[in-house]
Amino acid sequence: MSRLRLPGAGRSAALRAGVPLVSMMLAATVCGVPGARAQALHPAADPAVAAASCADSVYNDMTQAQRMGQLFMGGVSASSPSATDLRTLRDQHVGSVMLTGRSSAGVTATRNVVDGIRGQADTVSGKRVGLLVATDQEGGQVQVLSGPGFSTMPDALTQGGWSTSTLRSRAAGWAGQLKSAGVDLNLAPVADVVPASLGTRNQPIGRYYREYGHTPDVVASHSKAFAVGSKQAGVMTTLKHFPGLGRVIGNTDTTANVVDSVTTTTSSYLTPFKSGIQAGSPLVMISLATYTKIDPNHIAAFSPTVVRKLLRTQLGFKGVVISDDLGQAVAVRSYTPAQRATGFLAAGGDLVLTVKPSTVPAMAQAVSSRMQTDAAFRSGVADSVHRVLAAKAAAGLLNCG
């Protein structure tokens, strides 16, 4: 199979992307080499630089199809992944998987499921490119994995009433359970601020008590504590849903044309995201609402103003930008799968999340077609693949030893 040489392929990812800020590093492991050994081999090595270098090495040996697959995260049932979904993800070389639905099977059974999924990961130059396995484990009504070995997590509003040290400790314990189950990434914490005056009328967050509190400072301190605790146990986290779903009414999963007409580029409600980015959060998830005072013409996931200007430039985020679900969310129903994938990547996104694996082939084909005619898009895709691979390297999912 022909190998894709994208613009920038010969440049170091560290130089091209300013070293992807996957600095919420799982520093115990770098590129598959235990941290102590890596330091012994490279005593002055910066873990972020090492991860970027490892990403470059793997990238250069990949086929075009393998690189394309790194741009997608496909959802599969946490309890019993369908053979059809797994085959689609394998055939499309999809590099990340999200465990969806609900499973009460417990840690050991979940680990068996995850190990089975990992077995179909691509091999590059004789070395397996590890799958990034994620799930939604916030607490309360948003806890995908439960059963023996998993704690019952309270909702975030309850967590927000604890001291930050208590939350950090509890989060480390919960993350340890995820790690034992084979999960690398938690699509949490929620960094959205729901005003007390809106409360449960806020359908996506407040209705389910997913917010840590009703002020930016409380949400910032507690979302950070959750992330730091998770990092201690070796699980990456994702700040969501940028630039915030706390001031809307409708839920983008079930409603079209959800609008935030309040939030601006200088809003205090961005504080939790700023705090998390400064603390080294490796991923940020982009919402599917429209923010009329930031970019009235695009939903956030398709907005270069939101992703490139506000998140990347103004807030300085250099890690992986992941979409909210582009598979079956009603907010994007009027767009074809092809338009969803190319729109998100063109806006500056890196990792397309779709809970419907069946949408991946059309998405990948559209991305491939646009790359052939759009040099700027092609260059952006190359950078996105590098950022995803660098995150994997930081998580010990690439073998560059």
Side-chain angles (χ1 to χ4, degrees), residues 81 110 114-115 156 169 212 215 239 254 271 274 294 301-302 308 315 343-344 346 374:
T110 301
V114 170
D115 286 347
S169 175
Y212 286 100
T215 64
L239 297 171
T254 56
T271 298
K274 292 179 184 177
I294 299 175
F302 302 153
R308 295 188 188 277
L315 270 61
F344 175 65
D374 186 334

Side-chain angles (χ1 to χ4, degrees), residues 181-362:
V183 176
D184 311 296
L185 171 66
N186 192 357
L187 299 178
V190 168
D192 307 321
V193 182
V194 180
S197 59
L198 188 56
T200 55
R201 289 188 298 123
N202 171 258
Q203 294 295 312
I205 311 299
R207 178 182 178 184
Y208 304 104
Y209 308 108
R210 297 171 68 193
E211 73 275 31
Y212 286 100
H214 301 299
T215 64
D217 287 346
V218 169
V219 175
S221 62
H222 286 72
S223 57
K224 179 179 177 181
F226 186 97
V228 170
S230 299
K231 176 187 174 184
Q232 290 172 352
V235 172
M236 293 190 292
T237 49
T238 306
L239 297 171
K240 63 184 186 185
H241 310 77
F242 188 82
L245 282 177
R247 292 166 140 180
V248 303
I249 297 297
N251 185 338
T252 55
D253 288 339
T254 56
T255 308
N257 304 313
V258 174
V259 173
D260 176 326
S261 58
V262 182
T263 302
T264 67
T265 58
T266 58
S267 172
S268 64
Y269 280 52
L270 296 178
T271 298
F273 293 101
K274 292 179 184 177
S275 174
I277 289 168
Q278 290 169 358
S281 180
L283 289 93
V284 172
M285 179 181 286
I286 308 297
S287 94
L288 304 182
T290 299
Y291 298 80
T292 57
K293 291 192 174 179
I294 299 175
D295 180 355
N297 300 316
H298 303 90
I299 67 172
F302 302 153
S303 170
T305 301
V306 170
V307 180
R308 295 188 188 277
K309 188 173 179 180
L310 179 56
L311 180 59
R312 292 282 192 210
T313 302
Q314 186 173 317
L315 270 61
F317 182 63
K318 294 181 172 63
V320 174
V321 175
I322 184 173
S323 71
D324 205 344
D325 172 42
L326 296 180
Q328 64 182 22
V330 173
V332 294
R333 186 171 288 175
S334 63
Y335 300 86
T336 65
Q339 290 170 329
R340 298 170 203 171
T342 57
F344 175 65
L345 294 170
D350 302 311
L351 188 56
V352 175
L353 170 60
T354 171
V355 299
K356 288 181 63 177
S358 61
T359 62
V360 173

